[in-house]
Every structure is written in C-alpha cells, then in structure tokens.
Amino acid sequence: MNTEVEARREAVVRAWRETLESDPASDDEDFFEAGGNSLLAVQLQRRLTEALGHRVPLRHIHDHPTVRGLLGLRPPRQPRPAHPEAAGAPALNLYCLPYAGSSARMYEPWKTRLPSSVAVTPLELPGRGARWPEHAKSELEPLLDDLAGTMEEAHHAPYAVFGHSFGGILAFELVRHLRALGFPPPRRLLVSGCPAPHLATPAETTHDLSDEEFTQRLRRLRGTPEELLENEELMELYIPILRADYTILDHYKAPPAEPLDCPVSVFYGRGDEDAGRDVTQPWSAYSGGPMTIEEIDGDHFFLRDAEDELLMKMARHLEVPRPGNP
C-alpha cells in the first residue's frame, strides 16, 4: 500500500473510530454490522469529508460500508471457510422483525438483556442495515420467502417470532408462511403495538404520497428521528425503503381469522392511539392457545421508551421448560 493510500486509510479509520467509538475489526468489516445506522452514517460522512478534503456521498457509504470500500479498493479473495463444528442448539431462538423502515439491528442489545436460554436473532429486511445494497421488497410473499430462507435452523430448533407494529404483521404472516413450507410451529408468536390482522390495514394509504407529504406523515407518526427527516440526502435513500414497507401494509388483506398452532402474546402501549387495547384484544381469534395481552407504559413506540418493562414481560412469556419438565 503506497504512502498516499495509507494516509487516506488512516483518515478513514480515524473517522470510523470517532463515529462508532471503536476501531474496525478489519478493513472489510461492515460499518452497519459494526453498529452503524443511517444517522451515524451522516456523522461518518461529515468526518470523512473533513478528513479527506472532499465530499463523500451518503450513497457511497451505504454501498461500500467498509474501510476498503470507502477507499475504493477491491476486497481480497476470501479463502473457503472450513466446515464449522456442530454447535449446541440454543434453548430457544427468538426471531425479531422491525417496524416499518427500521433496521433489525435495533434488537442487537436484546441479545444480552433477555435470559441466556433465549438466542435473539434479528431478521434484517432487504434494503437496510447490512442488506442495504439489496432492493427493498414491496410485495409480501417475496419478502416472506426471503425471510424464511434465513431461518433454516427453525426446522430443528425451538423458536419464537416477535414483531413490532408493521413487524407484528410480518411476524404473523411469517409464522403462517413457515408452516405452509413444512416448518414446525413456533413456541409462541409475540407482537407489540400491532392491531389484530383484520384491523391492521390503514384507513388511508401512505405509500403513494408525494415525498413532501410522506415526510410530513412520518413526522406526525413520531417514529422517525427529526435529524433524519431534515436531512434531504438521507431521506432520498430512506423514503424508498419506507415506501416499500407501507406498500405492503397499505395493500394488506388479512386471512380468515383461524387460530395459529401456537399461543400469541400481545403488548400494547397505554397511550397508543393507533394500537390500543380495543384493536389488540381481537388477536385472541388468532391464538392457538391462551392469548395473553399486557399493557406497557408509553405510546406507540414504547418499544424504545419502556424497553425494560417490555423485556421483563417478554422474558416471562419466553420461559423455556427445563429438560424433563412439561
């Protein structure tokens, strides 16, 4: 590596370190897998621009989110990985789906905050996080096929599925899709901030609004940080992802209310005007066992504001029986 490239590399690493407060594990570590998100990408962009003396487009960061990629260097050829040793299966895998437009990385902290018997597995949707280069899917069935393709372990290991808001509908439909593919039933479906399926389709559409109207709708919903909404370059990247999610939700038609072959746990915010008890209680029609419903302190985004309370209650629902116990 020549002196000029090495100096640029040091500048990129320094900008990375100042943004994520840690050094990259290697020149090929993915910024988003290392803890980055869209807002942190804006901070990285500012630092790279200052360090390199020229503007680095956000799209370049999203498309090439490694030190090597930011330098414009090709990744080295990777050796074929050795066949891994079979590892002991976790007591229960909890597959987690995010709300509209969000990355499943939001669930990473849960890996150390739920009981050790639960292995949290965030399910990243195409077009966000480490899957940023992929096109976001705006049709439900192709998205379900995509997600099911990442869940082979659910064929032989106990699992549960969780989703918040739009992610709750995805979780419900994913459970149905997995069963149609021959997967065993989950131990439990858990949803939060999500009306029962037959009440989930919005009364007015969002996906077909103009960019300005779309942004204003997001601002009213209060689920998108203002820093993101005010960044035109970032919104140019973000709106297509949100439109894909809202296209699915706006066109969603619930199946007949037939019970799943697993129990359902529902959580709703005390101050949630869109998904309160009146529209979450009807989940009872879809539960293949006793349906439990619990109130959480907060509004629609209690997932963030009352996370401790939510995780404490989820842990009780995810208790895994010890071997030999019923």
Side-chain angles (χ1 to χ4, degrees):
M1 188 178 294
N2 62 43
T3 304
E4 181 182 353
V5 173
E6 182 58 36
R8 287 173 53 220
R9 179 188 177 279
E10 290 179 4
V12 170
V13 170
R14 183 169 61 253
W16 179 302
R17 180 190 307 121
E18 292 171 353
T19 303
L20 295 183
E21 299 183 353
S22 65
D23 285 328
S26 73
D27 284 1
D28 298 301
E29 183 176 26
D30 188 293
F31 175 78
F32 298 102
E33 291 184 354
N37 55 37
S38 293
L39 294 179
L40 288 174
V42 174
Q43 297 179 25
L44 179 63
Q45 178 196 40
R46 184 178 66 250
R47 292 185 171 108
L48 287 173
T49 298
E50 294 172 354
L52 299 175
H54 62 83
R55 187 174 178 280
V56 178
L58 271 176
R59 180 166 291 279
H60 184 80
I61 294 174
H62 279 277
D63 290 349
H64 307 282
T66 66
V67 171
R68 195 182 302 276
L70 292 170
L71 291 172
L73 303 176
R74 291 183 178 181
R77 293 187 63 179
Q78 298 295 327
R80 196 172 206 170
H83 192 277
E85 294 291 329
L92 179 75
N93 287 320
L94 177 63
Y95 295 99
C96 298
L97 291 151
Y99 55 83
S102 185
S103 167
R105 281 202 59 85
M106 62 187 290
Y107 297 117
E108 286 293 323
W110 289 16
K111 291 182 175 181
T112 57
R113 299 188 62 196
L114 281 170
S116 58
S117 59
V118 177
V120 174
T121 305
L123 289 179
E124 193 68 274
L125 277 59
R128 61 214 80 187
R131 301 188 66 184
W132 171 262
E134 303 175 42
H135 289 294
K137 296 186 184 297
S138 57
E139 295 181 12
L140 182 59
E141 286 301 314
L143 179 56
L144 296 176
D145 281 334
D146 177 281
L147 294 171
T150 68
M151 298 175 64
E152 282 302 308
E153 193 171 2
H155 270 301
H156 54 80
Y159 71 99
V161 184
F162 170 83
H164 181 78
S165 194
F166 168 69
I169 292 301
L170 283 186
F172 166 70
E173 289 293 346
L174 182 58
V175 168
R176 297 179 65 245
H177 192 71
L178 292 173
R179 295 296 288 131
L181 293 175
F183 282 70
R187 292 288 179 87
R188 186 173 293 270
L189 168 66
L190 306 97
V191 298
S192 67
C194 182
H198 61 284
L199 300 173
T201 307
E204 51 183 0
T205 60
T206 296
H207 76 280
D208 52 358
L209 297 175
S210 68
D211 284 357
E212 182 178 355
E213 293 171 322
F214 197 93
T215 300
Q216 290 305 317
R217 177 72 59 84
L218 294 178
R219 184 171 277 113
R220 288 198 299 273
L221 293 173
R222 304 186 309 280
T224 306
E226 190 64 29
E227 184 180 355
L228 191 157
L229 293 171
E230 292 179 351
N231 188 307
E232 292 185 9
E233 187 181 11
L234 189 54
M235 286 301 291
E236 184 180 341
L237 302 175
Y238 187 59
I239 283 180
I241 297 169
L242 273 164
R243 282 195 192 280
D245 289 352
Y246 276 104
T247 298
I248 292 174
L249 189 57
D250 287 345
H251 291 97
Y252 179 66
K253 296 187 185 302
E258 298 179 356
L260 302 171
D261 45 9
C262 69
V264 176
S265 296
V266 180
F267 307 92
Y268 70 94
R270 184 176 298 120
D272 192 343
E273 298 177 359
D274 300 315
R277 189 179 184 95
D278 57 333
V279 295
T280 52
Q281 180 66 53
W283 271 101
S284 59
Y286 300 87
S287 184
M291 195 276 284
T292 57
I293 181 167
E294 298 204 46
E295 184 181 79
I296 304 287
D297 186 29
D299 59 16
H300 188 63
F301 289 99
F302 64 82
L303 180 75
R304 297 181 311 223
D305 302 331
E307 187 178 57
D308 289 344
E309 182 183 357
L310 174 62
L311 291 177
M312 179 184 67
K313 292 181 174 178
M314 284 180 61
R316 292 201 299 264
H317 294 255
L318 292 169
E319 186 176 355
V320 180
R322 295 179 180 178
N325 290 345

